[in-house]
Amino acid sequence: DTGVSQDPRHKITKRGQNVTFRCDPISEHNRLYWYRQTLGQGPEFLTYFQNEAQLEKSRLLSDRFSAERPKGSFSTLEIQRTEQGDSAMYLCASSPSGMTEAFFGQGTRLTVV
Amino acid sequence: AQSVSQHNHHVILSEAASLELGCNYSYGGTVNLFWYVQYPGQHLQLLLKYFSGDPLVKGIKGFEAEFIKSKFSFNLRKPSVQWSDTAEYFCALKGGATNKLIFGTGTLLAVQP
């Protein structure tokens, strides 16, 4: 399968715990994006990487959220001290340089109880 | 600020009916516009995109969309829907130098056989 891969697909955590999600983009895609989607809403942009550089961050990305892409390949999104409002689907997407079209993964559904 | 509005939140059609889903955007500069589809249990997939040139763009599975700059619209159309078109449809915008997509809230389409 050469699509965008996300792990885990589902995560249930207790409020206050830290969680980390992983995204493996399509091979050779140097652009990687994270979005968050809540029920009844479209995806909302969180952050964007070109290779290992984080070039854009949304105001939605509070100081409890951090994303990395250390070698310009896979990326991780960490949420510290989770809150119930963090419950959402976290989507990763990738694209080649020069293309605006983004290819999405199936997402990680986070439930904070 | 950039924004996307989708007027129809939930549409129910019978097979063979014609479809038009509304999308209006707010942005004063050059835009790239997209329609994504999410079938039940699957990831977001690109239906079609507009970058420049012919304002009538054709996508996969018989879908098309027309970019009307004067109306800030990018409506999605299909002359005859099938049961397999049941899905959620998202309009999205990329404006200016940013690399992020701004999504509408989505339209849930249910096609009855």
Side-chain angles (χ1 to χ4, degrees):
Chain A
D1 184 22
T2 57
V4 177
S5 176
Q6 293 188 245
D7 182 70
R9 294 288 307 280
H10 304 272
K11 178 72 177 179
I12 300 174
T13 191
K14 292 184 178 179
R15 191 173 47 188
Q17 297 295 303
N18 299 344
V19 293
T20 300
F21 309 140
R22 176 179 171 126
C23 171
D24 287 90
I26 294 172
S27 180
E28 298 179 357
H29 279 193
N30 65 347
R31 296 182 175 185
L32 187 146
Y33 314 81
W34 285 98
Y35 288 82
R36 181 173 68 185
Q37 186 176 16
T38 54
L39 201 62
Q41 300 296 317
E44 294 176 292
F45 172 79
L46 292 178
T47 191
Y48 156 67
F49 289 86
Q50 180 152 322
N51 299 313
E52 65 275 11
Q54 189 174 21
L55 298 183
E56 274 189 81
K57 284 175 62 172
S58 165
R59 289 171 297 175
L60 292 175
L61 214 64
S62 76
D63 56 3
R64 296 185 298 106
F65 288 69
S66 63
E68 293 183 342
R69 194 182 183 198
K71 296 182 180 178
S73 56
F74 74 91
S75 175
T76 58
L77 177 68
E78 180 183 18
I79 309 174
Q80 296 183 326
R81 306 181 303 282
T82 52
E83 302 173 355
Q84 285 191 318
D86 297 332
S87 294
M89 178 74 84
Y90 289 84
L91 299 170
C92 179
S94 70
S95 69
S97 184
M99 279 188 64
T100 303
E101 172 188 345
F103 297 80
F104 283 82
Q106 291 197 284
T108 294
R109 182 170 295 284
L110 173 66
T111 303
V112 182
V113 298
Chain B
Q2 302 173 22
S3 66
V4 175
S5 297
Q6 292 184 242
H7 321 294
N8 317 101
H9 297 292
H10 198 177
V11 172
I12 302 174
L13 295 173
S14 298
E15 275 193 315
S18 64
L19 170 73
E20 181 161 5
L21 301 182
C23 172
N24 284 90
Y25 67 90
S26 174
Y27 184 69
T30 301
V31 295
N32 300 146
L33 293 160
F34 307 81
W35 276 97
Y36 278 85
V37 61
Q38 189 166 26
Y39 297 104
Q42 296 190 26
H43 61 280
L44 280 164
Q45 301 171 44
L46 183 71
L47 263 183
L48 49 78
K49 59 188 177 186
Y50 171 79
F51 284 4
S52 63
D54 189 344
L56 185 63
V57 293
K58 295 191 183 297
I60 59 171
K61 304 187 181 186
F63 286 90
E64 65 179 30
E66 185 175 12
F67 170 56
I68 303 179
K69 190 175 181 179
S70 61
K71 295 185 178 180
F72 297 90
S73 71
F74 190 57
N75 292 355
L76 181 70
R77 299 194 293 247
K78 185 172 185 179
S80 175
V81 295
Q82 301 172 321
W83 177 79
S84 58
D85 293 324
T86 294
E88 191 158 20
Y89 293 80
F90 294 94
C91 183
L93 155 75
K94 175 189 170 302
T98 181
N99 286 283
K100 64 184 179 186
L101 292 172
I102 306 296
F103 283 85
T105 52
T107 297
L108 199 57
L109 171 66
V111 180
Q112 297 175 331

Short mmCIF file of all heavy atoms in Angstrom, two decimals, chain B residues 13-71:
data_model
loop_
_atom_site.label_atom_id
_atom_site.label_comp_id
_atom_site.label_asym_id
_atom_site.label_seq_id
_atom_site.Cartn_x
_atom_site.Cartn_y
_atom_site.Cartn_z
N LEU B 13 -31.18 12.21 -2.14
CA LEU B 13 -31.64 12.10 -3.52
C LEU B 13 -31.96 10.67 -3.87
O LEU B 13 -31.41 9.74 -3.25
CB LEU B 13 -30.56 12.61 -4.49
CG LEU B 13 -30.18 14.09 -4.43
CD1 LEU B 13 -28.98 14.36 -5.33
CD2 LEU B 13 -31.35 14.97 -4.82
N SER B 14 -32.78 10.51 -4.87
CA SER B 14 -33.02 9.18 -5.44
C SER B 14 -32.02 8.94 -6.56
O SER B 14 -31.51 9.90 -7.18
CB SER B 14 -34.44 9.07 -5.97
OG SER B 14 -35.38 9.25 -4.93
N GLU B 15 -31.74 7.68 -6.81
CA GLU B 15 -30.82 7.35 -7.91
C GLU B 15 -31.33 7.98 -9.21
O GLU B 15 -32.53 8.03 -9.46
CB GLU B 15 -30.71 5.83 -8.07
CG GLU B 15 -29.68 5.22 -7.17
CD GLU B 15 -29.36 3.78 -7.54
OE1 GLU B 15 -30.31 3.02 -7.80
OE2 GLU B 15 -28.17 3.42 -7.55
N ALA B 16 -30.38 8.43 -10.03
CA ALA B 16 -30.63 9.05 -11.33
C ALA B 16 -31.00 10.53 -11.22
O ALA B 16 -31.09 11.20 -12.25
CB ALA B 16 -31.69 8.31 -12.14
N ALA B 17 -31.20 11.02 -10.02
CA ALA B 17 -31.47 12.45 -9.87
C ALA B 17 -30.20 13.24 -10.13
O ALA B 17 -29.08 12.73 -10.02
CB ALA B 17 -31.99 12.75 -8.47
N SER B 18 -30.38 14.52 -10.46
CA SER B 18 -29.22 15.37 -10.68
C SER B 18 -28.79 16.00 -9.35
O SER B 18 -29.60 16.21 -8.45
CB SER B 18 -29.53 16.47 -11.70
OG SER B 18 -30.55 17.31 -11.19
N LEU B 19 -27.51 16.28 -9.27
CA LEU B 19 -26.93 16.78 -8.02
C LEU B 19 -26.24 18.11 -8.27
O LEU B 19 -25.53 18.29 -9.26
CB LEU B 19 -25.89 15.79 -7.49
CG LEU B 19 -25.00 16.26 -6.33
CD1 LEU B 19 -25.81 16.31 -5.04
CD2 LEU B 19 -23.79 15.35 -6.17
N GLU B 20 -26.47 19.04 -7.35
CA GLU B 20 -25.66 20.25 -7.31
C GLU B 20 -25.44 20.62 -5.86
O GLU B 20 -26.39 20.84 -5.11
CB GLU B 20 -26.29 21.43 -8.05
CG GLU B 20 -25.41 22.68 -8.02
CD GLU B 20 -25.74 23.70 -9.09
OE1 GLU B 20 -26.72 23.51 -9.82
OE2 GLU B 20 -25.00 24.70 -9.20
N LEU B 21 -24.18 20.66 -5.46
CA LEU B 21 -23.81 21.04 -4.09
C LEU B 21 -23.14 22.40 -4.13
O LEU B 21 -22.20 22.62 -4.90
CB LEU B 21 -22.86 20.01 -3.47
CG LEU B 21 -23.38 18.59 -3.37
CD1 LEU B 21 -22.35 17.69 -2.68
CD2 LEU B 21 -24.70 18.53 -2.62
N GLY B 22 -23.62 23.31 -3.28
CA GLY B 22 -23.10 24.66 -3.30
C GLY B 22 -21.83 24.84 -2.49
O GLY B 22 -21.63 24.20 -1.46
N CYS B 23 -20.95 25.70 -3.00
CA CYS B 23 -19.73 26.05 -2.28
C CYS B 23 -19.42 27.51 -2.61
O CYS B 23 -19.28 27.86 -3.78
CB CYS B 23 -18.58 25.16 -2.70
SG CYS B 23 -16.97 25.69 -2.03
N ASN B 24 -19.32 28.32 -1.59
CA ASN B 24 -18.88 29.70 -1.75
C ASN B 24 -17.66 29.94 -0.89
O ASN B 24 -17.53 29.37 0.19
CB ASN B 24 -19.99 30.68 -1.35
CG ASN B 24 -21.07 30.76 -2.40
OD1 ASN B 24 -22.03 30.01 -2.37
ND2 ASN B 24 -20.89 31.66 -3.34
N TYR B 25 -16.78 30.78 -1.36
CA TYR B 25 -15.56 31.04 -0.61
C TYR B 25 -15.37 32.54 -0.41
O TYR B 25 -15.97 33.37 -1.11
CB TYR B 25 -14.34 30.45 -1.31
CG TYR B 25 -14.01 31.11 -2.63
CD1 TYR B 25 -13.14 32.19 -2.70
CD2 TYR B 25 -14.60 30.66 -3.81
CE1 TYR B 25 -12.85 32.81 -3.89
CE2 TYR B 25 -14.32 31.27 -5.02
CZ TYR B 25 -13.45 32.34 -5.06
OH TYR B 25 -13.18 32.95 -6.24
N SER B 26 -14.52 32.84 0.53
CA SER B 26 -14.19 34.22 0.81
C SER B 26 -12.68 34.35 0.76
O SER B 26 -11.97 33.78 1.59
CB SER B 26 -14.70 34.63 2.19
OG SER B 26 -14.26 35.92 2.53
N TYR B 27 -12.20 35.06 -0.26
CA TYR B 27 -10.77 35.37 -0.39
C TYR B 27 -10.62 36.27 -1.59
O TYR B 27 -11.20 36.01 -2.64
CB TYR B 27 -9.92 34.10 -0.58
CG TYR B 27 -8.44 34.40 -0.63
CD1 TYR B 27 -7.78 34.83 0.51
CD2 TYR B 27 -7.72 34.28 -1.81
CE1 TYR B 27 -6.43 35.14 0.48
CE2 TYR B 27 -6.36 34.57 -1.85
CZ TYR B 27 -5.73 35.00 -0.70
OH TYR B 27 -4.38 35.29 -0.74
N GLY B 28 -9.86 37.30 -1.46
CA GLY B 28 -9.77 38.30 -2.52
C GLY B 28 -8.71 38.05 -3.56
O GLY B 28 -8.71 38.72 -4.60
N GLY B 29 -7.84 37.12 -3.34
CA GLY B 29 -6.74 36.89 -4.26
C GLY B 29 -6.94 35.65 -5.11
O GLY B 29 -8.03 35.11 -5.24
N THR B 30 -5.83 35.18 -5.67
CA THR B 30 -5.85 33.98 -6.50
C THR B 30 -6.12 32.76 -5.64
O THR B 30 -5.52 32.61 -4.57
CB THR B 30 -4.50 33.81 -7.23
OG1 THR B 30 -4.27 34.98 -8.02
CG2 THR B 30 -4.52 32.59 -8.12
N VAL B 31 -7.01 31.90 -6.12
CA VAL B 31 -7.39 30.74 -5.33
C VAL B 31 -7.17 29.43 -6.10
O VAL B 31 -7.22 29.41 -7.32
CB VAL B 31 -8.86 30.81 -4.87
CG1 VAL B 31 -9.08 31.96 -3.93
CG2 VAL B 31 -9.80 30.88 -6.07
N ASN B 32 -6.91 28.40 -5.36
CA ASN B 32 -7.02 27.04 -5.86
C ASN B 32 -8.19 26.43 -5.12
O ASN B 32 -8.31 26.59 -3.90
CB ASN B 32 -5.76 26.23 -5.57
CG ASN B 32 -4.52 26.80 -6.20
OD1 ASN B 32 -3.43 26.71 -5.65
ND2 ASN B 32 -4.64 27.40 -7.37
N LEU B 33 -9.07 25.73 -5.84
CA LEU B 33 -10.28 25.18 -5.23
C LEU B 33 -10.36 23.68 -5.46
O LEU B 33 -9.93 23.18 -6.50
CB LEU B 33 -11.52 25.86 -5.82
CG LEU B 33 -11.64 27.35 -5.45
CD1 LEU B 33 -12.56 28.07 -6.43
CD2 LEU B 33 -12.15 27.50 -4.03
N PHE B 34 -10.92 22.99 -4.49
CA PHE B 34 -10.95 21.54 -4.51
C PHE B 34 -12.31 21.03 -4.01
O PHE B 34 -12.95 21.68 -3.19
CB PHE B 34 -9.88 20.96 -3.56
CG PHE B 34 -8.50 21.48 -3.78
CD1 PHE B 34 -8.11 22.71 -3.26
CD2 PHE B 34 -7.58 20.75 -4.51
CE1 PHE B 34 -6.83 23.20 -3.46
CE2 PHE B 34 -6.29 21.24 -4.72
CZ PHE B 34 -5.93 22.46 -4.20
N TRP B 35 -12.67 19.86 -4.51
CA TRP B 35 -13.73 19.07 -3.90
C TRP B 35 -13.13 17.72 -3.51
O TRP B 35 -12.51 17.04 -4.34
CB TRP B 35 -14.90 18.85 -4.85
CG TRP B 35 -15.88 19.97 -4.87
CD1 TRP B 35 -15.95 21.00 -5.76
CD2 TRP B 35 -16.96 20.18 -3.94
NE1 TRP B 35 -17.00 21.84 -5.45
CE2 TRP B 35 -17.63 21.36 -4.33
CE3 TRP B 35 -17.43 19.48 -2.82
CZ2 TRP B 35 -18.75 21.86 -3.65
CZ3 TRP B 35 -18.53 19.97 -2.14
CH2 TRP B 35 -19.18 21.15 -2.55
N TYR B 36 -13.30 17.40 -2.24
CA TYR B 36 -12.88 16.10 -1.72
C TYR B 36 -14.14 15.30 -1.36
O TYR B 36 -15.16 15.87 -0.97
CB TYR B 36 -12.02 16.25 -0.46
CG TYR B 36 -10.56 16.56 -0.72
CD1 TYR B 36 -10.13 17.86 -0.92
CD2 TYR B 36 -9.62 15.53 -0.76
CE1 TYR B 36 -8.78 18.14 -1.14
CE2 TYR B 36 -8.27 15.80 -0.98
CZ TYR B 36 -7.86 17.11 -1.18
OH TYR B 36 -6.53 17.38 -1.41
N VAL B 37 -14.01 13.98 -1.42
CA VAL B 37 -15.12 13.10 -1.04
C VAL B 37 -14.62 12.10 0.00
O VAL B 37 -13.46 11.67 -0.05
CB VAL B 37 -15.70 12.37 -2.27
CG1 VAL B 37 -14.65 11.49 -2.94
CG2 VAL B 37 -16.91 11.53 -1.88
N GLN B 38 -15.48 11.78 0.93
CA GLN B 38 -15.16 10.78 1.94
C GLN B 38 -16.27 9.74 1.95
O GLN B 38 -17.38 10.02 2.45
CB GLN B 38 -14.98 11.41 3.31
CG GLN B 38 -14.44 10.45 4.35
CD GLN B 38 -13.96 11.17 5.60
OE1 GLN B 38 -14.41 12.26 5.93
NE2 GLN B 38 -13.02 10.56 6.29
N TYR B 39 -15.99 8.57 1.39
CA TYR B 39 -16.96 7.48 1.42
C TYR B 39 -16.95 6.86 2.82
O TYR B 39 -15.95 6.96 3.54
CB TYR B 39 -16.61 6.44 0.36
CG TYR B 39 -16.69 6.99 -1.04
CD1 TYR B 39 -15.52 7.30 -1.75
CD2 TYR B 39 -17.91 7.25 -1.66
CE1 TYR B 39 -15.58 7.83 -3.03
CE2 TYR B 39 -17.98 7.79 -2.93
CZ TYR B 39 -16.81 8.08 -3.60
OH TYR B 39 -16.87 8.63 -4.86
N PRO B 40 -18.05 6.23 3.21
CA PRO B 40 -18.13 5.66 4.56
C PRO B 40 -16.94 4.77 4.89
O PRO B 40 -16.62 3.84 4.15
CB PRO B 40 -19.44 4.86 4.52
CG PRO B 40 -20.27 5.56 3.49
CD PRO B 40 -19.30 6.03 2.45
N GLY B 41 -16.26 5.08 5.97
CA GLY B 41 -15.15 4.26 6.44
C GLY B 41 -13.85 4.46 5.68
O GLY B 41 -12.88 3.74 5.93
N GLN B 42 -13.82 5.41 4.77
CA GLN B 42 -12.61 5.61 3.96
C GLN B 42 -12.01 6.99 4.19
O GLN B 42 -12.58 7.83 4.85
CB GLN B 42 -12.94 5.42 2.48
CG GLN B 42 -13.39 4.02 2.12
CD GLN B 42 -13.47 3.81 0.63
OE1 GLN B 42 -12.78 4.48 -0.15
NE2 GLN B 42 -14.30 2.88 0.22
N HIS B 43 -10.81 7.18 3.64
CA HIS B 43 -10.14 8.45 3.79
C HIS B 43 -10.63 9.47 2.76
O HIS B 43 -11.30 9.11 1.79
CB HIS B 43 -8.63 8.26 3.65
CG HIS B 43 -8.21 7.71 2.31
ND1 HIS B 43 -8.31 6.39 1.99
CD2 HIS B 43 -7.73 8.33 1.21
CE1 HIS B 43 -7.88 6.19 0.75
NE2 HIS B 43 -7.53 7.36 0.26
N LEU B 44 -10.33 10.73 3.00
CA LEU B 44 -10.64 11.79 2.06
C LEU B 44 -9.92 11.55 0.73
O LEU B 44 -8.73 11.27 0.71
CB LEU B 44 -10.20 13.14 2.62
CG LEU B 44 -11.10 13.81 3.64
CD1 LEU B 44 -10.34 14.91 4.37
CD2 LEU B 44 -12.34 14.36 2.98
N GLN B 45 -10.68 11.69 -0.36
CA GLN B 45 -10.09 11.52 -1.69
C GLN B 45 -10.43 12.73 -2.54
O GLN B 45 -11.53 13.27 -2.43
CB GLN B 45 -10.67 10.27 -2.37
CG GLN B 45 -10.45 8.98 -1.64
CD GLN B 45 -11.24 7.84 -2.26
OE1 GLN B 45 -11.27 7.71 -3.48
NE2 GLN B 45 -11.89 7.05 -1.44
N LEU B 46 -9.51 13.10 -3.41
CA LEU B 46 -9.76 14.23 -4.28
C LEU B 46 -10.71 13.86 -5.41
O LEU B 46 -10.51 12.86 -6.10
CB LEU B 46 -8.43 14.72 -4.87
CG LEU B 46 -8.54 15.97 -5.75
CD1 LEU B 46 -8.85 17.18 -4.87
CD2 LEU B 46 -7.27 16.21 -6.53
N LEU B 47 -11.76 14.67 -5.58
CA LEU B 47 -12.69 14.49 -6.70
C LEU B 47 -12.24 15.31 -7.90
O LEU B 47 -12.24 14.83 -9.02
CB LEU B 47 -14.09 14.99 -6.30
CG LEU B 47 -15.13 14.01 -5.80
CD1 LEU B 47 -16.43 14.76 -5.56
CD2 LEU B 47 -15.34 12.86 -6.77
N LEU B 48 -11.92 16.56 -7.64
CA LEU B 48 -11.48 17.45 -8.71
C LEU B 48 -10.86 18.70 -8.11
O LEU B 48 -10.99 18.96 -6.92
CB LEU B 48 -12.65 17.81 -9.64
CG LEU B 48 -13.96 18.28 -9.03
CD1 LEU B 48 -13.90 19.72 -8.59
CD2 LEU B 48 -15.12 18.08 -10.02
N LYS B 49 -10.18 19.45 -8.97
CA LYS B 49 -9.50 20.66 -8.51
C LYS B 49 -9.49 21.70 -9.62
O LYS B 49 -9.51 21.38 -10.81
CB LYS B 49 -8.06 20.33 -8.10
CG LYS B 49 -7.23 19.73 -9.23
CD LYS B 49 -5.88 19.23 -8.72
CE LYS B 49 -5.10 18.57 -9.85
NZ LYS B 49 -3.84 17.94 -9.38
N TYR B 50 -9.47 22.96 -9.19
CA TYR B 50 -9.33 24.08 -10.11
C TYR B 50 -8.12 24.90 -9.70
O TYR B 50 -8.03 25.35 -8.55
CB TYR B 50 -10.58 24.97 -10.09
CG TYR B 50 -10.36 26.24 -10.88
CD1 TYR B 50 -10.43 26.24 -12.27
CD2 TYR B 50 -10.04 27.44 -10.24
CE1 TYR B 50 -10.19 27.39 -12.99
CE2 TYR B 50 -9.80 28.59 -10.95
CZ TYR B 50 -9.87 28.57 -12.33
OH TYR B 50 -9.61 29.72 -13.04
N PHE B 51 -7.21 25.11 -10.67
CA PHE B 51 -6.06 25.98 -10.42
C PHE B 51 -6.14 27.22 -11.28
O PHE B 51 -5.96 28.33 -10.81
CB PHE B 51 -4.74 25.23 -10.71
CG PHE B 51 -4.36 24.24 -9.64
CD1 PHE B 51 -5.17 23.97 -8.55
CD2 PHE B 51 -3.16 23.55 -9.73
CE1 PHE B 51 -4.83 23.06 -7.58
CE2 PHE B 51 -2.79 22.63 -8.75
CZ PHE B 51 -3.62 22.39 -7.68
N SER B 52 -6.40 27.03 -12.57
CA SER B 52 -6.49 28.16 -13.50
C SER B 52 -7.06 27.63 -14.81
O SER B 52 -7.25 26.42 -14.98
CB SER B 52 -5.11 28.80 -13.73
OG SER B 52 -4.24 27.89 -14.33
N GLY B 53 -7.32 28.54 -15.74
CA GLY B 53 -7.77 28.12 -17.06
C GLY B 53 -9.27 27.90 -17.12
O GLY B 53 -10.05 28.64 -16.52
N ASP B 54 -9.69 26.87 -17.83
CA ASP B 54 -11.11 26.57 -18.04
C ASP B 54 -11.82 26.49 -16.70
O ASP B 54 -11.45 25.67 -15.85
CB ASP B 54 -11.25 25.26 -18.79
CG ASP B 54 -12.68 24.98 -19.25
OD1 ASP B 54 -13.62 25.64 -18.74
OD2 ASP B 54 -12.85 24.10 -20.11
N PRO B 55 -12.83 27.33 -16.48
CA PRO B 55 -13.52 27.32 -15.18
C PRO B 55 -14.39 26.09 -14.96
O PRO B 55 -14.83 25.86 -13.84
CB PRO B 55 -14.37 28.59 -15.22
CG PRO B 55 -14.58 28.85 -16.67
CD PRO B 55 -13.35 28.39 -17.37
N LEU B 56 -14.66 25.33 -16.01
CA LEU B 56 -15.42 24.10 -15.85
C LEU B 56 -14.44 22.94 -15.77
O LEU B 56 -13.74 22.64 -16.74
CB LEU B 56 -16.39 23.92 -17.02
CG LEU B 56 -17.33 22.72 -16.92
CD1 LEU B 56 -18.27 22.88 -15.71
CD2 LEU B 56 -18.15 22.57 -18.20
N VAL B 57 -14.36 22.33 -14.60
CA VAL B 57 -13.40 21.25 -14.42
C VAL B 57 -14.14 19.93 -14.24
O VAL B 57 -15.19 19.87 -13.61
CB VAL B 57 -12.47 21.51 -13.21
CG1 VAL B 57 -11.58 22.68 -13.49
CG2 VAL B 57 -13.26 21.73 -11.95
N LYS B 58 -13.56 18.90 -14.82
CA LYS B 58 -14.16 17.58 -14.72
C LYS B 58 -13.29 16.71 -13.80
O LYS B 58 -12.06 16.78 -13.84
CB LYS B 58 -14.28 16.95 -16.10
CG LYS B 58 -15.25 17.73 -16.99
CD LYS B 58 -15.60 16.99 -18.26
CE LYS B 58 -16.49 17.84 -19.15
NZ LYS B 58 -17.80 18.13 -18.51
N GLY B 59 -13.97 15.92 -13.01
CA GLY B 59 -13.25 15.06 -12.08
C GLY B 59 -13.57 13.61 -12.31
O GLY B 59 -14.07 13.22 -13.36
N ILE B 60 -13.31 12.82 -11.27
CA ILE B 60 -13.55 11.39 -11.38
C ILE B 60 -15.03 11.09 -11.19
O ILE B 60 -15.79 11.92 -10.67
CB ILE B 60 -12.73 10.62 -10.34
CG1 ILE B 60 -13.09 11.07 -8.91
CG2 ILE B 60 -11.23 10.81 -10.58
CD1 ILE B 60 -12.49 10.20 -7.82
N LYS B 61 -15.45 9.94 -11.64
CA LYS B 61 -16.78 9.40 -11.43
C LYS B 61 -17.90 10.30 -11.95
O LYS B 61 -19.00 10.30 -11.40
CB LYS B 61 -17.00 9.09 -9.94
CG LYS B 61 -15.93 8.16 -9.38
CD LYS B 61 -16.20 7.71 -7.98
CE LYS B 61 -15.08 6.79 -7.50
NZ LYS B 61 -15.35 6.20 -6.19
N GLY B 62 -17.62 11.06 -13.01
CA GLY B 62 -18.65 11.85 -13.65
C GLY B 62 -18.97 13.18 -12.99
O GLY B 62 -19.91 13.87 -13.38
N PHE B 63 -18.20 13.56 -11.98
CA PHE B 63 -18.42 14.84 -11.32
C PHE B 63 -17.76 15.98 -12.08
O PHE B 63 -16.75 15.78 -12.76
CB PHE B 63 -17.86 14.81 -9.89
CG PHE B 63 -18.68 14.01 -8.92
CD1 PHE B 63 -18.44 12.66 -8.73
CD2 PHE B 63 -19.71 14.61 -8.21
CE1 PHE B 63 -19.21 11.91 -7.85
CE2 PHE B 63 -20.48 13.87 -7.32
CZ PHE B 63 -20.23 12.53 -7.15
N GLU B 64 -18.34 17.16 -11.97
CA GLU B 64 -17.74 18.37 -12.52
C GLU B 64 -18.05 19.54 -11.59
O GLU B 64 -18.95 19.45 -10.75
CB GLU B 64 -18.26 18.66 -13.93
CG GLU B 64 -19.74 18.99 -14.00
CD GLU B 64 -20.19 19.31 -15.41
OE1 GLU B 64 -19.61 18.77 -16.38
OE2 GLU B 64 -21.13 20.12 -15.54
N ALA B 65 -17.27 20.60 -11.73
CA ALA B 65 -17.52 21.79 -10.93
C ALA B 65 -17.20 23.00 -11.79
O ALA B 65 -16.34 22.97 -12.66
CB ALA B 65 -16.67 21.79 -9.67
N GLU B 66 -17.93 24.08 -11.50
CA GLU B 66 -17.72 25.32 -12.24
C GLU B 66 -17.27 26.43 -11.31
O GLU B 66 -17.93 26.73 -10.31
CB GLU B 66 -19.00 25.74 -12.96
CG GLU B 66 -18.80 26.97 -13.86
CD GLU B 66 -20.02 27.31 -14.66
OE1 GLU B 66 -21.11 26.77 -14.38
OE2 GLU B 66 -19.90 28.16 -15.58
N PHE B 67 -16.15 27.03 -11.66
CA PHE B 67 -15.61 28.17 -10.91
C PHE B 67 -16.21 29.44 -11.49
O PHE B 67 -16.03 29.73 -12.68
CB PHE B 67 -14.09 28.19 -11.03
CG PHE B 67 -13.43 29.44 -10.49
CD1 PHE B 67 -13.64 29.84 -9.18
CD2 PHE B 67 -12.59 30.20 -11.29
CE1 PHE B 67 -13.03 30.98 -8.67
CE2 PHE B 67 -11.97 31.34 -10.80
CZ PHE B 67 -12.20 31.73 -9.48
N ILE B 68 -16.97 30.16 -10.68
CA ILE B 68 -17.54 31.45 -11.11
C ILE B 68 -16.93 32.51 -10.20
O ILE B 68 -17.35 32.70 -9.06
CB ILE B 68 -19.08 31.46 -11.04
CG1 ILE B 68 -19.65 30.33 -11.89
CG2 ILE B 68 -19.61 32.81 -11.53
CD1 ILE B 68 -21.17 30.24 -11.88
N LYS B 69 -15.94 33.21 -10.74
CA LYS B 69 -15.18 34.16 -9.94
C LYS B 69 -16.05 35.29 -9.40
O LYS B 69 -15.91 35.70 -8.25
CB LYS B 69 -14.03 34.74 -10.76
CG LYS B 69 -13.03 35.55 -9.98
CD LYS B 69 -11.86 35.97 -10.85
CE LYS B 69 -10.85 36.78 -10.05
NZ LYS B 69 -9.70 37.18 -10.89
N SER B 70 -16.97 35.76 -10.23
CA SER B 70 -17.81 36.90 -9.83
C SER B 70 -18.74 36.55 -8.68
O SER B 70 -19.18 37.43 -7.94
CB SER B 70 -18.63 37.39 -11.02
OG SER B 70 -19.48 36.36 -11.48
N LYS B 71 -19.03 35.28 -8.54
CA LYS B 71 -19.91 34.82 -7.46
C LYS B 71 -19.14 34.15 -6.33
O LYS B 71 -19.75 33.66 -5.37
CB LYS B 71 -20.96 33.84 -8.01
CG LYS B 71 -21.94 34.47 -9.00
CD LYS B 71 -23.01 33.47 -9.40
CE LYS B 71 -24.03 34.11 -10.35
NZ LYS B 71 -25.09 33.15 -10.76
#
